[in-house]
Amino acid sequence: MVRSIPHSFQQISLVALFCLLAFSASATHNRAGEITYEQIDRLTVRATITTYTKASSRPADRDSLELCWGDGDCEWVLRSNGTGTLLPNDTKFNIYIAEHTYSTQGHFIMTMTDPNRSGGILNVNPPSSDNVPFHLRTTVTLFNPQFAGFNNSPVLLQPPIDIACAGQPFIHNPNAYDPDGDSLSYELVVPLQSTSTNVPNYSFPNQIQPGAANNIGLDPVTGDFDWITPQLPGEYNIAMYIIQHRNGRPVDTLIRDLQILVEMCDNRPPIIETVTEVCVIAGETLRFDVTATAPLTAPDDTQKVALTALGGPLIQDISPAKFIVADGYQDDPLVGVFEWETACEHISDQFYSVVFRAVDNFEIIDDSGDRVFLSTLKTVRIKVVGPPPQDVQAVAEMGEVEVTWEKPYSCENAQNEFFRGFSVWRREGSNLFPPDSCQTGLAGQGYTRLNAVLTTEMMGNRYFYLDMEVERGRTYCYRILAEFAKTSLGGNPFNPVESLPSEEFCVQLSRDIPLLTNASVEQTDANNGEVQVRWVLPDPEDLDTLQNPGPYRYELLRAPGITDVGFQLLPGAIFTTQNFLDPVPTEFLDTDLATSNIPYTYQIAFYVNGETEPLGIANEASTIFLSVASTDNQNDLSWEELVPWENFEYVVYRQNASGIWDSIGVSETPEFSDTGLNNGQEYCYYVESKGTYGIDEIPGPLLNKSQEACGIPLDTIPPCPPVLRVTNICNDPGNRDNCEPGNLINDLSWTDPKLVCADTDDAIAFNIYYTAVEGGNFEIIASFDSTSFDTVFTHMPDLGLAGCYAVTALDTFNNESAFSNIVCVDNCPIYELPNVFTPNGDGENEMYIPLQPFCFIDRIELTVVNRWGQTVFQTNDPEIRWDGKNLSGKPLAEGVYYYTCKVFENRVTGISPRTDLLKGYIHLVRGE
């Protein structure tokens, strides 16, 4: 019901309404921004608030902002760049810089809140985004600089205002650079309106006109935000956490709130062609071309293009990179040259990012009359790696190995003690893995680090390491790594970085003991299994039979499992000879074993001269033990072993319907997936390894078989989760005030996994989950089976509209998917007060009540005072129903009274106070 207002007071009301609208229009303001900081000394930081605001919103322009430091102190910070810097697209760039000294080290949260975002943002509280506060936060961790070094936030080099075209792919990258060498990761989040409160009624961009053509994604490693493709023109805001990691542990987070302006474009954005990712060895010069073109919209169109670059390599203190390109708009194709003479100080475990931006000169006039020029971003990732140590050599003498390598090392004189020393790595047997210019270190290559403390020890004019933990008969292969690290004030390293590995150098120790060459399963059975064991005899030149005379005895030992303990002598497996060159068995068939259930490991002990203690024991060798894990239409094979030689290839065999074993694949790693199988059918396998000692006298390849193992494929893989969207009257500006109980319905719709996920072909049902408050426990409120299959649902909550939803999909085996995206919808409270009422007994406007209808209000705190400030009326009832009498029940004189009203709204987070305090005047008219 609309309340009537006497004509004599309509002019007053209209003036008040005009003032209110004028204030609201002037309040539209913030587009994007973030807070960054640098640590100046042990307890002092210099913080920078960066905002991008609507330039035409001059009455809301901020010459200062309040920055709260997270320790209880807040201060107003003046703008540092004068009146701000005007940019295209009705945007102003503002920076506010202040310093603060904390009383102690620790973890703090810096925040800034400004009352108003820019108006018209499609995915933030539509259509009233200008009534939503703009909130930024950044965490600060102050370490003890003696131990952990200083800590600075990442620097975001790419502005957070970008242009996209409806119907065309869009990409944005914040171009974050961390001056401390900390690693960064990225996460898409909902923008904030306060420290712990998301903006209301938020939709991710792909939820505005959703569909298969409207998808978004944020690469957690590179920071690339992809939108394929925007559908509806307008302004959108997204926010991303940029998480800083030191020594592999998350330390700080920074929120960037950014805005994307989607336009209807008559032309296409420019195109940039160049490399995407490249690695360079420190000390070398990196050079590559970057080509920008501006696609024509018609054969007679002419467009020019400008090309620029921003990124960490371009702001280095030592030998910064250069981007050589003609200034301003040029005919296309426009070619620029990126050039970087890298130095050892640039070595990092993280990729540097350089973002190239191409802008055309095809002018678009958007709905607000602004001139817009289309642009494209291209991110190039560059990794500077430490050079490998050179000329590694090894010599075996008297049970030790002397390892040496070239001095000087090319980066040993890096500034700021960046170079730390060398680590020495060893493995048994060779691993000539293909070199990779981006792959530093030796993780996963089978090498073991020998020295816990980095070394720079020298012997003569070469670096040197003495390996005393070696055993006879083994082949040892060595590689060297250089290590770099930032250094704290106390000399402690952090963020260590390893170089490329050196070339491998192998050395064969005296082979004066036998070596096992085979432990192959010849019969698979739970009780009558068989394993063929073979070995080679010691090398007579290494044994020295004069020093070690006969008789010679070989004893074969076995232990259950893959192990290096628990060995027992095998009956019938003792072989003796008086003279070393006399024939002696070199193989043994071990029988009556449970090969189908467990693997077995073998050793050979070698005795000379009738002694009771062995001269040596050959390194243990186990059988290959195969495991089969079954899943949907697939068997995943994996196997384990412990052998002294190097297995370089595995052949996988599968038994066919005729009982014949077919080779179905080859793997270089101990795993293999057999796909395209029939669920419910049994498949049996074994694996044969091919290996070598890398010793010329031991012929290869060494062939060994696993036991046979079987598996039955079964669907254990749940469907991929649906993508959920929820709408209600709050999404419809023309229907938001229609909050009668029958209209308080949430409309859910979601994608069918079968239509969007290639790996899902049997989703047949859905579960709908709901919780009334954000962060609450989800409960199933509806399920759809195959007879009522649908992808839409309407839900009427018990109170209001607020709540959070998720949907899961189920397949024919009742495997349930993970939750869809969780969508929390909020109420859209409405509460407005009139400025006049007439308690004169004529039956009209007798009570002062809120404008109708009002929605989703829990309570209010209303106080009315007279012109002298005396309270004449108070209530917590949102209906108010003030009859014009004072607190004593006596009628008040007609006139102007003033009110303040704090409104408490029913929200998805619970009952929350409205961010603004209602204030105004009331004309009490009696007409007397």
Side-chain angles (χ1 to χ4, degrees):
M1 180 183 70
V2 178
R3 301 185 62 203
S4 62
I5 300 177
H7 177 75
S8 59
F9 299 103
Q10 287 182 5
Q11 186 175 3
I12 298 174
S13 301
L14 290 173
V15 169
L17 179 61
F18 175 80
C19 294
L20 177 62
L21 292 175
F23 175 78
S24 298
S26 68
T28 179
H29 192 53
N30 286 282
R31 291 185 182 274
E34 70 269 346
I35 305 173
T36 57
Y37 73 91
E38 56 182 315
Q39 187 174 357
I40 299 173
D41 61 26
R42 190 172 65 90
L43 296 174
T44 303
V45 300
R46 179 183 295 120
T48 300
I49 305 173
T50 303
T51 65
Y52 292 76
T53 56
K54 198 172 184 66
S56 59
S57 182
R58 288 181 293 274
D61 188 40
R62 313 294 190 219
D63 62 358
S64 61
L65 292 174
E66 187 179 33
L67 175 61
C68 292
W69 297 97
D71 60 352
D73 288 346
C74 299
E75 66 175 286
W76 286 91
V77 182
L78 291 174
R79 183 161 48 198
S80 301
N81 60 332
T83 59
T85 303
L86 290 177
L87 302 175
N89 308 320
D90 193 21
T91 301
K92 179 184 282 190
F93 167 68
N94 313 276
I95 55 174
Y96 308 80
I97 303 174
E99 295 182 4
H100 181 72
T101 300
Y102 292 93
S103 60
T104 184
Q105 294 154 5
H107 188 75
F108 308 93
I109 301 177
M110 293 190 301
T111 60
M112 186 283 298
T113 305
D114 193 66
N116 305 97
R117 291 177 175 268
S118 60
I121 302 173
L122 296 183
N123 63 331
V124 176
N125 197 40
S128 303
S129 59
D130 50 334
N131 291 328
V132 178
F134 178 75
H135 181 81
L136 300 174
R137 58 173 283 173
T138 294
T139 59
V140 180
T141 300
L142 298 180
F143 301 116
N144 185 331
Q146 290 292 321
F147 298 100
F150 279 4
N151 186 32
N152 302 280
S153 74
V155 180
L156 308 187
L157 301 175
Q158 200 66 32
I161 302 288
D162 223 335
I163 305 292
C165 290
Q168 299 186 34
F170 167 79
I171 187 170
H172 176 85
N173 190 295
N175 201 355
Y177 167 69
D178 192 282
D180 303 322
D182 295 330
S183 61
L184 304 175
S185 62
Y186 304 83
E187 179 183 339
L188 201 62
V189 295
V190 176
L192 297 176
Q193 65 175 355
S194 66
T195 299
S196 58
T197 305
N198 295 338
V199 297
N201 300 313
Y202 182 77
S203 299
F204 285 99
N206 61 316
Q207 296 174 311
I208 306 295
Q209 292 194 1
N214 189 355
N215 296 298
I216 61 172
L218 178 66
D219 190 312
V221 176
T222 68
D224 279 346
F225 172 79
D226 292 288
W227 188 357
I228 308 171
T229 56
Q231 299 296 302
L232 183 65
E235 297 181 6
Y236 297 79
N237 270 67
I238 64 170
M240 59 177 70
Y241 267 136
I242 302 176
I243 307 167
Q244 171 192 354
H245 305 256
R246 178 164 296 187
N247 294 328
R249 297 175 55 193
V251 176
D252 286 335
T253 58
L254 176 157
I255 287 185
R256 161 166 270 196
D257 197 316
L258 64 99
Q259 188 167 86
I260 305 166
L261 311 177
V262 178
E263 304 286 350
M264 289 301 298
C265 305
D266 294 329
N267 67 328
R268 290 176 292 160
I271 296 173
I272 300 175
E273 295 179 338
T274 188
V275 300
T276 298
E277 188 171 289
V278 62
C279 293
V280 58
I281 296 176
E284 297 180 354
T285 298
L286 175 65
R287 186 180 292 106
F288 57 84
D289 291 344
V290 183
T291 303
T293 56
L296 301 179
T297 57
D300 56 346
D301 283 342
T302 57
Q303 287 192 95
K304 295 180 182 291
V305 63
L307 187 58
T308 56
L310 294 170
L314 296 156
I315 59 172
Q316 296 296 303
D317 294 331
I318 299 173
S319 187
K322 298 178 291 185
F323 184 52
I324 305 164
V325 68
D327 290 335
Y329 286 107
Q330 305 292 329
D331 292 332
D332 76 344
L334 175 59
V335 180
V337 178
F338 179 86
E339 186 176 285
W340 192 12
E341 295 182 9
T342 61
C344 296
E345 291 77 11
H346 300 146
I347 295 169
S348 176
D349 200 33
Q350 308 304 312
F351 279 87
Y352 296 86
S353 290
V354 180
V355 177
F356 297 94
R357 184 171 186 259
V359 184
D360 66 23
N361 67 336
F362 189 93
E363 181 177 297
I364 298 173
I365 305 300
D366 68 9
D367 292 340
S368 62
D370 294 329
R371 302 166 66 218
V372 175
F373 300 93
L374 296 185
S375 64
T376 296
L377 300 183
K378 169 72 174 181
T379 302
V380 176
R381 303 177 73 225
I382 302 170
K383 189 173 185 180
V384 182
V385 298
Q390 298 294 319
D391 192 27
V392 177
Q393 299 178 19
V395 178
E397 291 185 358
M398 301 183 66
E400 299 175 338
V401 177
E402 294 179 355
V403 186
T404 65
W405 59 98
E406 182 182 278
K407 180 179 172 54
Y409 173 61
S410 58
C411 280
E412 65 182 33
N413 293 319
Q415 296 184 23
N416 302 321
E417 299 181 347
F418 189 45
F419 169 70
R420 303 290 298 171
F422 300 98
S423 56
V424 181
W425 297 74
R426 184 188 76 190
R427 64 168 284 150
E428 291 187 44
S430 175
N431 182 9
L432 295 175
F433 57 86
D436 185 337
S437 61
C438 279
Q439 186 60 53
T440 58
L442 286 165
Q445 300 297 347
Y447 292 83
T448 300
R449 178 169 170 166
L450 299 181
N451 56 326
V453 179
L454 295 172
T455 181
T456 54
E457 186 178 351
M458 293 173 51
M459 183 174 67
N461 61 351
R462 292 174 63 82
Y463 288 111
F464 166 81
Y465 179 82
L466 182 62
D467 184 9
M468 296 183 291
E469 300 296 325
V470 294
E471 297 180 14
R472 60 166 61 94
R474 296 183 184 251
T475 300
Y476 294 108
C477 296
Y478 297 87
R479 291 184 188 264
I480 310 299
L481 297 177
E483 187 170 297
F484 306 83
K486 301 279 188 178
T487 306
S488 70
L489 295 179
N492 294 301
F494 62 93
N495 287 340
V497 184
E498 293 177 324
S499 73
L500 293 173
S502 70
E503 293 289 337
E504 181 184 73
F505 192 93
C506 298
V507 60
Q508 170 68 49
L509 272 68
S510 296
R511 190 162 57 84
D512 56 359
I513 59 174
L515 295 180
L516 287 162
T517 59
N518 292 86
S520 180
V521 178
E522 300 301 319
Q523 178 70 40
T524 300
D525 194 85
N527 300 298
N528 300 311
E530 297 178 352
V531 174
Q532 183 69 58
V533 185
R534 296 187 180 94
W535 58 92
V536 294
L537 302 177
D539 187 328
E541 293 184 3
D542 290 339
L543 177 61
D544 190 351
T545 55
L546 293 178
Q547 185 176 350
N548 299 289
Y552 303 98
R553 185 169 82 255
Y554 303 85
E555 295 184 354
L556 183 62
L557 301 96
R558 182 188 69 207
I562 296 177
T563 181
D564 58 0
V565 296
F567 289 91
Q568 299 290 327
L569 179 64
L570 282 174
I574 300 176
F575 312 100
T576 60
T577 180
Q578 184 63 41
N579 298 308
F580 184 78
L581 297 180
D582 289 344
V584 64
T586 57
E587 62 180 64
F588 181 81
L589 184 64
D590 193 11
T591 60
D592 300 327
L593 302 174
T595 52
S596 61
N597 300 322
I598 59 174
Y600 294 91
T601 305
Y602 297 87
Q603 284 183 341
I604 291 183
F606 179 50
Y607 298 82
V608 301
N609 200 24
E611 295 179 358
T612 58
E613 291 296 325
L615 178 66
I617 298 177
N619 302 322
E620 53 273 354
S622 77
T623 59
I624 302 171
F625 192 74
L626 173 63
S627 298
V628 181
S630 299
T631 184
D632 187 19
N633 302 121
Q634 178 173 316
N635 281 326
D636 293 322
L637 283 61
S638 61
W639 51 94
E640 55 182 335
E641 63 194 350
L642 176 64
V643 295
W645 58 85
E646 175 69 16
N647 282 327
F648 57 85
E649 185 178 278
Y650 302 91
V651 181
V652 180
Y653 291 87
R654 185 179 70 198
Q655 192 175 41
N656 63 28
S658 301
I660 298 173
W661 293 92
D662 299 322
S663 172
I664 62 169
V666 175
S667 176
E668 295 180 357
T669 59
E671 57 189 4
F672 181 84
S673 292
D674 189 15
T675 60
L677 306 178
N678 296 321
N679 285 339
Q681 179 179 332
E682 185 177 57
Y683 297 86
C684 295
Y685 308 85
Y686 76 85
V687 173
E688 183 177 58
S689 65
K690 295 182 180 181
T692 179
Y693 269 105
I695 302 173
D696 293 339
E697 293 79 11
I698 301 179
L702 306 177
L703 304 178
N704 288 277
K705 292 183 288 189
S706 75
Q707 94 286 8
E708 299 166 12
C710 302
I712 301 174
L714 179 67
D715 187 357
T716 59
I717 300 176
C720 71
V723 178
L724 173 63
R725 183 171 185 257
V726 183
T727 60
N728 52 41
I729 60 172
C730 293
N731 301 106
D732 183 358
N735 203 30
R736 292 182 67 189
D737 59 354
N738 191 9
C739 54
E740 297 296 326
N743 295 320
L744 301 184
I745 296 173
N746 289 321
D747 294 309
L748 284 68
S749 62
W750 57 90
T751 58
D752 182 349
K754 297 197 305 297
L755 302 180
V756 295
C757 299
D759 295 332
T760 297
D761 59 5
D762 60 345
I764 63 165
F766 296 107
N767 285 335
I768 314 297
Y769 290 83
Y770 171 75
T771 176
V773 295
E774 188 173 7
N777 295 322
F778 281 94
E779 295 182 354
I780 294 179
I781 59 171
S783 295
F784 298 94
D785 59 24
S786 57
T787 60
S788 57
F789 189 81
D790 209 344
T791 58
V792 294
F793 178 70
T794 59
H795 181 232
M796 181 181 292
D798 292 336
L799 180 65
L801 291 168
C804 297
Y805 296 89
V807 179
T808 61
L810 295 91
D811 64 16
T812 52
F813 286 85
N814 209 38
N815 297 309
E816 185 173 14
S817 75
F819 270 13
S820 67
N821 55 307
I822 295 174
V823 178
C824 293
V825 292
D826 210 345
N827 295 318
C828 43
I830 299 174
Y831 196 76
E832 297 177 357
L833 297 177
N835 57 13
V836 62
F837 78 120
T838 58
N840 56 8
D842 64 359
E844 294 186 7
N845 293 327
E846 294 291 331
M847 293 284 184
Y848 184 77
I849 62 175
L851 296 177
Q852 299 294 328
F854 65 85
C855 303
F856 312 118
I857 305 302
D858 178 76
R859 68 183 190 279
I860 63 171
E861 294 178 359
L862 174 71
T863 300
V864 181
V865 300
N866 60 22
R867 69 183 62 188
W868 296 280
Q870 297 168 326
T871 299
V872 298
F873 180 74
Q874 286 182 315
T875 186
N876 298 116
D877 182 1
E879 292 281 358
I880 302 177
R881 304 188 64 79
W882 180 34
D883 59 3
K885 297 178 182 178
N886 64 16
L887 296 175
S888 301
K890 296 180 179 179
L892 290 166
E894 77 174 7
V896 177
Y897 295 84
Y898 304 90
Y899 71 85
T900 59
C901 183
K902 190 172 185 179
V903 181
F904 293 83
E905 302 170 332
N906 289 311
R907 290 288 193 176
V908 70
T909 54
I911 297 173
S912 303
R914 185 163 149 174
T915 55
D916 59 323
L917 181 69
L918 297 183
K919 296 185 292 185
Y921 59 89
I922 303 170
H923 278 267
L924 190 159
V925 179
R926 297 191 183 277
E928 299 172 351

